[in-house]
Amino acid sequence: MKKYLALPALFIAIPGFAQPAPQKGFSGEVSLNAGIISSTSNFNVDGDATISSLENKADSESEGLIAPLGNVAYTFGEGLKQQIYFGTTREDIAVGTLAVQLGYKHKLSSGTEVDVSFLPTVISGETWRNPYQLNTPRKETDVSGNAYRLQLNSISGSGFSLDLAFATTDVEGDLTAGTDLARDADIYYAKGSYRFTLSPTSFVSPSVLYIQHDADGTASSFDAYGPEVSWFNILGRHSLVLTAGFTQRDYDSASTLFNKKRSDDELSLFAAYEYSKFMGWKDWSFISFAGYGDTQSNLTFYDESSYLFAVGLNYKF
């Protein structure tokens, strides 16, 4: 569900602390970011179409990034406890989750905030139709799917939150279909976190996550789990969020192609910074974010790494 440093298409940085809308009606943010993104992966369609070995290490591919994006919300109801929103939320961006979503929030009398959303872009992208083909050019294809998310924030007024999601993914014309490496899948995601207040302007949020990736091919199916921690801090007009995570993926079976069961370890680092009232402009902020991800597999073909850096301006209305 999480797109750390993912496709260079939908990036917006609006880090900081979520604030309730001060009045009924519409509100939102829009941001323009520019930067660079780089990735190293044998599944990257910007990389070499022809490979000669399954022991091949992919070359790094870099490109510039210019991305306008934003979010809009409508707040209503008694006590302004209900909201409909569309876009990428700053709570997600602060910790490196980059996904557009359409959702509804309702803060209950118990203090729990219920957030239900539909994510139409989080699965979409491109990959190789025949990723393991050697010595002839591989063909590109589209990846599509939908995701549905339920968040329970500040449960009963506590610091505990729960994030649940379900997604389906479909690789169009997948030439691995019918094999133990078939990639169409159902995905189940769960993440529990707790917020510890360090000071009125600083807190830390450790979490644990679990993912069940139930693919058509047993060698593409896995269970993933790992810890994550985020540190949030505000100092005057400066806001900073740092996030680090580690995920281990254990696959269900060995593939006939590699004759070995796959196992991956993934490290992810993300930083987001905001300087409010940039140049003395009331509703403008300078924003920047940087991230790094690295996956080490016991099968060289699946080793991946990526990084990004971007800066931009954000306008809040």
Side-chain angles (χ1 to χ4, degrees):
M1 304 301 177
K2 215 159 186 181
K3 289 183 120 179
Y4 283 110
L5 326 180
L7 304 172
L10 299 174
F11 284 110
I12 178 174
I14 314 174
F17 295 89
Q19 298 292 334
Q23 59 187 15
K24 178 181 178 180
F26 288 98
S27 61
E29 298 174 284
V30 62
S31 174
L32 179 64
N33 305 287
I36 186 172
I37 182 170
S38 177
S39 65
T40 303
S41 171
N42 277 311
F43 293 88
N44 184 357
V45 296
D46 293 322
D48 292 335
T50 303
I51 57 174
S52 59
S53 170
L54 294 179
E55 294 295 321
N56 176 70
K57 276 188 173 290
D59 294 329
S60 177
E61 301 291 333
S62 302
E63 61 181 306
L65 167 71
I66 298 179
L69 199 61
N71 66 77
V72 62
Y74 181 77
T75 304
F76 61 99
E78 183 179 353
L80 303 179
K81 293 182 179 181
Q82 299 183 69
Q83 186 181 83
I84 298 171
Y85 64 90
F86 176 76
T88 306
T89 68
R90 67 163 48 216
E91 301 99 309
D92 283 343
I93 290 300
V95 296
T97 303
L98 310 176
V100 176
Q101 51 191 319
L102 172 65
Y104 167 74
K105 295 180 181 180
H106 188 184
K107 188 169 184 178
L108 306 178
S109 57
S110 64
T112 303
E113 182 188 72
V114 180
D115 187 342
V116 181
S117 59
F118 168 64
L119 295 79
T121 66
V122 70
I123 300 297
S124 302
E126 293 180 322
T127 189
W128 296 115
R129 186 181 180 191
N130 46 347
Y132 308 106
Q133 182 170 299
L134 302 179
N135 302 316
T136 56
R138 297 176 292 176
K139 305 293 185 180
E140 297 180 21
T141 192
D142 294 325
V143 180
S144 61
N146 294 313
Y148 308 89
R149 187 180 189 188
L150 169 64
Q151 297 176 82
L152 302 175
N153 299 315
S154 302
I155 296 174
S156 297
S158 70
F160 182 68
S161 296
L162 189 61
D163 190 353
L164 305 171
F166 168 75
T168 59
T169 180
D170 177 72
V171 181
E172 184 178 338
D174 185 11
L175 291 184
T176 66
T179 74
D180 54 16
L181 287 169
R183 292 173 285 175
D184 290 355
D186 292 334
I187 305 164
Y188 305 87
Y189 172 94
K191 176 182 175 181
S193 60
Y194 193 86
R195 172 173 167 168
F196 294 94
T197 300
L198 304 179
S199 73
T201 60
S202 179
F203 68 88
V204 63
S205 179
S207 59
V208 292
L209 67 86
Y210 171 76
I211 301 171
Q212 181 183 0
H213 187 96
D214 186 11
D216 288 350
T218 56
S220 293
S221 300
F222 62 82
D223 293 310
Y225 44 87
E228 183 180 278
V229 62
S230 295
W231 175 67
F232 300 73
N233 188 63
I234 293 178
L235 183 61
R237 292 157 64 181
H238 304 273
S239 299
L240 177 66
V241 185
L242 303 176
T243 298
F246 177 81
T247 304
Q248 184 174 3
R249 292 191 288 268
D250 293 328
Y251 286 76
D252 289 358
S253 70
S255 68
T256 55
L257 184 64
F258 291 97
N259 199 30
K260 183 188 291 188
K261 185 186 292 188
R262 178 181 168 187
S263 178
D264 299 341
D265 292 331
E266 179 183 5
L267 172 69
S268 58
L269 304 171
F270 194 84
Y273 169 77
E274 179 180 27
Y275 180 68
S276 62
K277 298 181 181 179
F278 180 68
M279 300 287 289
W281 304 335
K282 179 181 177 182
D283 298 315
W284 290 85
S285 298
F286 170 80
I287 54 180
S288 66
F289 60 91
Y292 171 76
D294 181 74
T295 298
Q296 295 295 316
S297 177
N298 64 331
L299 299 173
T300 303
F301 186 85
Y302 295 106
D303 286 350
E304 297 184 350
S305 64
S306 54
Y307 70 84
L308 71 88
F309 176 76
V311 297
L313 290 177
N314 180 69
Y315 175 72
K316 187 174 182 178
F317 59 90

